[in-house]
Amino acid sequence: ELPPSEFMQVADSTWLVLSVVSNGREPPGCQATGVTKIARSVIAPLAEHHVSVLMLSTYQTDFILVRERDLPVVIHTLAGEFDIYKEESGECVPVTCEDVSNGFLKPKPAASPTLHPVQSPQTRFCILTVAPDTLPAIATMLIDVLFYSHSPPREASAGSQDHDSITFFAFSLIDGYISIVMDTETQKRFPSDLLLTSSTEELWRMVRIGGQPLGFDECGIVAQIAEPLAAADISAYYISTFNFDHALVPEEGIAEVIQLLQQRQDSSR
């Protein structure tokens, strides 16, 4: 319904959403949440099969977006580990490899993915939700923050490992559930009684991946971050965008995360 505009670029691919639902069989003591929870079982196998993914964490759950044309490869890759269903007329219908075998080609081994630079700004973030019926009360503030409050982005040097601050605000509305990521200074502008967060009220720090626009074609970017964090049982909240990818980790773990990612960079040289 959006009118054509010279200012709007639309990717030529159609994407499908994978919603990964846990069956509760995680090993005892496993506390990692977000993208790290599905790194080994979903993200790494898809990267190995050269499937590009977009990752969207929300307050409630995590979503993986894959190109529609990659669906046969996705199903063949994940069918051994997961029961796969598709939604038809509001009902979940089982999917088997035979359903998508037509046209399936075994992918060629993927080349080693590019290890993109990572940056860690000092900005502290909150991950929040709001009750849908309270959204009108903060609508004006949301519009102001989303469209009018931010200064133009500053150019960042590709090799820089640290920035004092970063402008980042993410709002998603999926199936009636609202998820917001904002920095602690922006949070002060909103009514505190309407913003809901976890009982621990933990703060998060960001690792931003990429020194130039990443685009949507390259595979393995999410795996570059998720795999080492999963190995260390570190929670992460992940948002892919056209320009950069963003992983938020608990504030107390940022030093360990930077060390893990730096070790991975060094070992690849």
Side-chain angles (χ1 to χ4, degrees):
E1 297 179 8
L2 294 174
S5 168
E6 61 178 309
F7 305 109
M8 182 171 63
Q9 299 180 17
V10 182
D12 58 359
S13 300
T14 301
W15 297 73
L16 302 175
V17 178
L18 305 181
S19 177
V20 184
V21 180
S22 169
N23 58 9
R25 292 187 298 190
E26 293 89 348
C30 178
Q31 297 299 317
T33 58
V35 67
T36 49
K37 202 170 186 179
I38 52 178
R40 295 187 187 94
S41 55
V42 180
I43 296 168
L46 292 181
E48 291 170 1
H49 284 76
H50 215 255
V51 175
S52 178
V53 304
L54 298 178
M55 188 73 206
L56 177 62
S57 295
T58 72
Y59 186 88
Q60 290 79 19
T61 187
D62 298 276
F63 299 95
I64 301 172
L65 281 76
V66 298
R67 286 186 176 91
E68 187 172 29
R69 65 171 181 259
D70 288 334
L71 186 59
V73 179
V74 171
I75 291 177
H76 276 261
T77 301
L78 302 180
E81 184 79 16
F82 293 92
D83 297 323
I84 302 177
Y85 300 86
K86 61 182 176 181
E87 187 175 296
E88 290 186 352
S89 303
E91 299 291 331
C92 288
V93 181
V95 174
T96 65
C97 289
E98 289 73 23
D99 293 338
V100 293
S101 59
N102 183 30
F104 173 75
L105 296 175
K106 188 174 182 180
K108 298 178 181 178
S112 298
T114 301
L115 285 181
H116 294 278
V118 298
Q119 304 155 359
S120 178
Q122 295 297 315
T123 310
R124 303 158 82 209
F125 292 93
C126 310
I127 298 175
L128 310 155
T129 186
V130 298
D133 59 350
T134 65
L135 192 58
I138 62 171
T140 302
M141 183 60 66
L142 270 177
I143 292 171
D144 182 58
V145 171
L146 283 168
F147 300 111
Y148 301 108
S149 295
H150 298 317
S151 58
R154 294 173 295 178
E155 294 296 325
S157 58
S160 175
Q161 293 295 310
D162 189 86
H163 291 267
D164 289 338
S165 63
I166 184 174
T167 300
F168 186 91
F169 185 93
F171 174 89
S172 63
L173 175 59
I174 302 174
D175 281 344
Y177 294 102
I178 298 165
S179 184
I180 305 174
V181 179
M182 67 177 79
D183 61 78
T184 53
E185 289 302 309
T186 301
Q187 182 192 15
K188 295 175 183 177
R189 300 172 58 183
F190 287 83
S192 59
D193 58 327
L194 299 183
L195 302 179
L196 308 176
T197 186
S198 65
S199 58
T200 59
E201 297 185 353
E202 62 186 336
L203 297 177
W204 300 70
R205 289 278 301 278
M206 176 182 288
V207 174
R208 187 169 74 167
I209 302 97
Q212 57 186 6
L214 299 173
F216 298 138
D217 296 323
E218 188 179 338
C219 70
I221 299 173
V222 181
Q224 170 188 346
I225 304 298
E227 288 187 275
L229 298 190
D233 257 0
I234 297 174
S235 301
Y237 185 103
Y238 201 101
I239 298 177
S240 300
T241 71
F242 180 84
N243 290 309
F244 299 97
D245 277 16
H246 310 81
L248 289 105
V249 300
E251 184 176 34
E252 65 273 11
I254 187 64
E256 182 182 359
V257 169
I258 295 299
Q259 183 180 13
L260 286 170
L261 298 180
Q262 188 61 56
Q263 289 172 349
R264 178 157 182 157
Q265 293 273 2
D266 294 342
S267 64
S268 67
R269 292 171 183 167

